[in-house]
Amino acid sequence: MSGVKLGRQPYIGVGIESTPGTAVAAVKYLPFVTCTIKGVQTPIADESAKGVRDKNWGAITGQKHGEGDLEIYVDAENAAYLLYAAMGSISTTAASGETTVWTHTITRKASNPPKTLTVIYNDSQDTRKYAYATINTLELNVSDGLASISANILSKFPASGTATSAITEERILAFKDYTIKFGSGATGTAALAAAVSATATPVSSFTLKINNNAEVQYLSGSNDAAQISIGEFEVEGDYVLFFESTVDRVHYETMLSGAGGTDLVRAMIITFTGAAIGEAEYEEIEIRIPNFYLKERSVDTAVAGFLTENPSFIAMYDPTEAKTIQIKITNTENAY
């Protein structure tokens, strides 16, 4: 026997596929908090009547695919692999006045196929590769500790793979490293401009959820996943803050915001700032939502505690910005 292994001993790598389903080598190994990715197959049972009371007479292998969750702590380099795959499109430019710092602008891909990864997972017993890995849902969470990203992944059925762990330490980000700003205006562009110049609103926690509504699809000739397609694109989330103003109440009750509740559009900008890099830049993850509304709002009124608001929001496609969400990442990686 090889001996009992610790849960810390497995490792996971990812590579960005040029062609969905065509596996590539891992280009980055991600320190992870949780990894449950595995192969799944649905047996097809023979339950035909054969003259006796017994129901089951055997089975054949049915539909097969890979699925599971991967959770990592947020940093300005590793997080980009999951955010890029979840959104689908990226453009990269050198940061102004810099030669070793780049800004990656991530936006929602307009159509299928999705941007896919090859996930290579060594579970301490063997190494398996999951091609056509598509991020179905992604959730970013931060409260009073480290920020984390959890991705639900769908893929082809795993095959044998090879990997050599090469973990690089990055500067992970926590609650002290992020700010959230709100702005309002007649359009998403105006609301974002107001948010840029606004004073940050202190919050106790923040959650962002991206849902691609991905589906595994099977075709004749193979019981493995033929393709994985993304469906409707949804962005939502929630935040918690002390109940110190009526801004969120007005927004929830009237669908308007701004002075006296007159502006049609409300925007938010969430910014994580890390270590200094290059000549005059910082590692940064900036999330811009040009238009959102509150779908629910509650107030915690526990008599022994402090009054807090708990708004839940839905991000909307904004025609002036031509997007629902945009993520900009500044780091020292020149390409993804």
Side-chain angles (χ1 to χ4, degrees), residues 24-71:
V24 297
V27 296
K28 191 69 174 179
Y29 287 84
L30 305 178
F32 67 88
V33 181
T34 303
C35 182
T36 63
I37 191 167
K38 62 186 182 298
V40 176
Q41 70 95 1
T42 305
I44 302 174
D46 177 4
E47 298 177 353
S48 56
K50 300 185 180 180
V52 296
R53 291 181 57 233
D54 304 76
K55 177 180 179 180
N56 293 298
W57 287 80
I60 61 173
T61 302
Q63 295 177 339
K64 303 194 302 182
H65 68 277
E67 68 177 36
D69 296 326
L70 173 62
E71 181 182 8

Side-chain angles (χ1 to χ4, degrees), residues 178-214:
Y178 85 104
T179 61
I180 181 168
K181 295 182 176 183
F182 298 97
S184 61
T187 66
T189 301
L192 282 173
V196 168
S197 59
T199 300
T201 298
V203 298
S204 300
S205 66
F206 177 79
T207 299
L208 177 72
K209 301 173 184 177
I210 296 173
N211 188 354
N212 281 311
N213 287 289

Side-chain angles (χ1 to χ4, degrees), residues 21 93 110 117-118 130 164 208 244 287-288 301 315 324 333:
T93 58
L117 305 171
T118 298
Y130 297 78
T164 302
L208 177 72
E244 298 178 293
I287 302 167
R288 292 191 170 205
T301 58
T324 298
E333 289 287 300

Side-chain angles (χ1 to χ4, degrees), residues 110-173:
S111 60
N112 281 299
K115 174 52 65 176
T116 58
L117 305 171
T118 298
V119 176
I120 301 177
Y121 183 39
N122 179 289
D123 62 7
S124 83
Q125 295 302 315
D126 57 9
T127 302
R128 312 192 80 191
K129 63 182 177 184
Y130 297 78
Y132 218 130
T134 301
I135 294 188
N136 177 32
T137 63
L138 181 142
E139 184 170 314
L140 184 153
N141 283 290
V142 58
S143 55
D144 57 357
L146 295 173
S148 66
I149 287 179
S150 180
N152 175 256
I153 295 171
L154 300 173
S155 74
K156 282 184 170 290
F157 197 73
S160 178
T162 59
T164 302
S165 178
I167 303 292
T168 57
E169 290 297 324
E170 308 299 338
R171 193 224 189 247
I172 51 181
L173 300 167

Side-chain angles (χ1 to χ4, degrees), residues 35 50 72 86 99 103 107 127 207 209 211 221-222 225 231 233 237 261 291 296-297 326:
C35 182
K50 300 185 180 180
I72 67 172
T99 58
T103 297
T107 53
T127 302
T207 299
K209 301 173 184 177
N211 188 354
S222 173
F233 182 71
N291 199 340
E296 189 176 354
R297 172 189 170 272
Q326 173 186 283

